[in-house]
Amino acid sequence: MIGKLEGKVAIVTGAGRGIGRAVALKLASEGARVVVNDLDAEPAQQVVEEIRAAGGSAVPFPMSITAPGFAEGFVKTALDKFGALDIIVNNAGYTWDNVVQKMSDEQWDAIIDCHLKAPFQVLRAAQPYFREVSKAEADAGKEVFRKVVNISSVSGTQGNAGQINYAAAKAGVIGMTKTMAKEWGRMKVNVNCVAFGFIETRLTQPTTDEKTVNVEGREVKVGVHPDRIAQAMRDIPLGRPGTAEEAAGSIYMFCIPESNYVTGQTLICGGGRGGF
């Protein structure tokens, strides 16, 4: 059976781990050729090898999404290696939390740059290609749809104490999505958004210790206290966190032909939390 994304080319940021990894594997399993981005080279290469071992096609693009020239290089890699670009998933991100009176400008800027500025730059870099191919297809009487899926959060749809930077960035992603859907509709580009609730990743694992990961030279706290997790479970109608694979499934729905007449929308993937 031919996959729903056979012949398509996808680029996915933050695809070396967690949700991004699950997205890259899912898209590849349906026939897409994938450019796998991650901040670190090793996890990006591992995902590429997983895809290739399963019979798919992928190349790595290890680089920080906030580095100068990232967006242009990311798009160029898809065009140079695979000759096309059909799907963009702006997934990469992390949290660096604090209450407003304790949050530094560095914390604010880092999260806004990662979650809002970097996706904007990727979309801007892709626009010339989308414009060129859509014009050629229109002239030939063809209607070909391309897909953008931006990632938001229930923190962006309803706010979250201690996350003014992250909530602001993720709310901005929704506004960006709605705007790009209006600008790019004429080019047959569907631009949609998935807002995640509690998804199990390395950033949300239960811990009572002060665990951190290094993000571009910054030690950023990861993990969630078990008491907070228990409270979150009481607020989720389905009674549990989502898996990375379930999160990837919600993104996948916006990448397939069945969503060709859906654009400018935000889908909440949260087990019912934040969605009613």
Side-chain angles (χ1 to χ4, degrees):
M1 182 180 294
I2 296 176
K4 287 183 179 292
L5 302 178
E6 196 69 36
K8 303 297 185 181
V9 176
I11 60 177
V12 184
T13 63
R17 303 177 177 91
I19 295 170
R21 171 183 173 273
V23 171
L25 294 175
K26 178 63 177 177
L27 299 184
S29 75
E30 289 292 332
R33 294 165 288 172
V34 186
V35 181
V36 177
N37 160 257
D38 199 84
L39 179 63
D40 302 312
E42 184 176 351
Q45 185 61 44
Q46 287 174 349
V47 173
V48 167
E49 290 172 3
E50 283 186 74
I51 290 171
R52 291 174 178 172
S57 182
V59 295
F61 189 76
M63 189 176 181
S64 168
I65 64 170
T66 61
F70 167 81
E72 293 77 12
F74 196 31
V75 170
K76 187 174 186 296
T77 297
L79 300 180
D80 288 350
K81 297 293 185 179
F82 298 127
L85 176 58
D86 303 283
I87 298 167
I88 298 173
V89 181
N90 281 311
N91 164 78
Y94 65 103
T95 57
W96 192 6
D97 298 346
N98 226 329
V99 290
V100 64
Q101 68 272 22
K102 295 181 180 179
M103 182 164 291
S104 67
D105 286 352
E106 182 187 9
Q107 279 179 284
W108 174 270
D109 290 343
I111 296 302
I112 296 295
D113 285 351
C114 175
H115 291 271
L116 192 55
K117 184 177 179 180
F120 149 71
Q121 290 176 327
V122 171
L123 299 182
R124 183 177 62 185
Q127 195 276 344
Y129 173 75
F130 284 169
R131 182 188 66 234
E132 178 184 349
V133 294
S134 67
K135 185 179 185 305
E137 288 157 357
D139 289 346
K142 297 179 181 178
E143 188 175 63
V144 178
F145 287 87
R146 292 176 176 82
K147 311 287 186 172
V148 172
V149 187
N150 297 316
I151 304 306
S152 183
S153 165
V154 294
S155 293
T157 62
Q158 61 188 30
N160 193 29
Q163 287 193 321
I164 188 171
N165 53 356
Y166 184 71
K170 290 306 191 181
V173 167
I174 295 172
M176 180 172 66
T177 297
K178 291 179 181 295
T179 297
M180 296 314 302
K182 288 179 163 79
E183 288 191 14
W184 284 4
R186 61 186 177 83
M187 298 191 297
K188 309 303 179 187
V189 180
N190 304 120
V191 187
N192 290 295
C193 181
V194 176
F196 290 125
F198 198 116
I199 306 296
E200 290 180 324
T201 70
R202 65 176 181 147
L203 302 180
T204 60
Q205 291 301 302
T207 181
T208 57
D209 300 324
E210 288 288 323
K211 294 183 178 180
T212 63
V213 295
N214 188 280
V215 180
E216 298 184 299
R218 306 180 181 100
E219 289 299 320
V220 177
K221 184 180 177 181
V222 296
V224 182
H225 194 280
D227 291 345
R228 289 185 60 194
I229 292 177
Q231 176 61 49
M233 293 308 99
R234 289 191 288 271
D235 294 338
I236 299 172
L238 291 184
R240 63 167 178 82
T243 67
E245 289 71 26
E246 288 170 327
S250 66
I251 293 170
Y252 168 72
M253 290 192 294
F254 280 137
C255 296
I256 58 179
E258 285 83 347
S259 65
N260 282 354
Y261 202 63
V262 180
T263 195
Q265 302 304 304
T266 297
L267 170 68
I268 296 179
C269 176
R273 179 186 176 210
F276 295 167

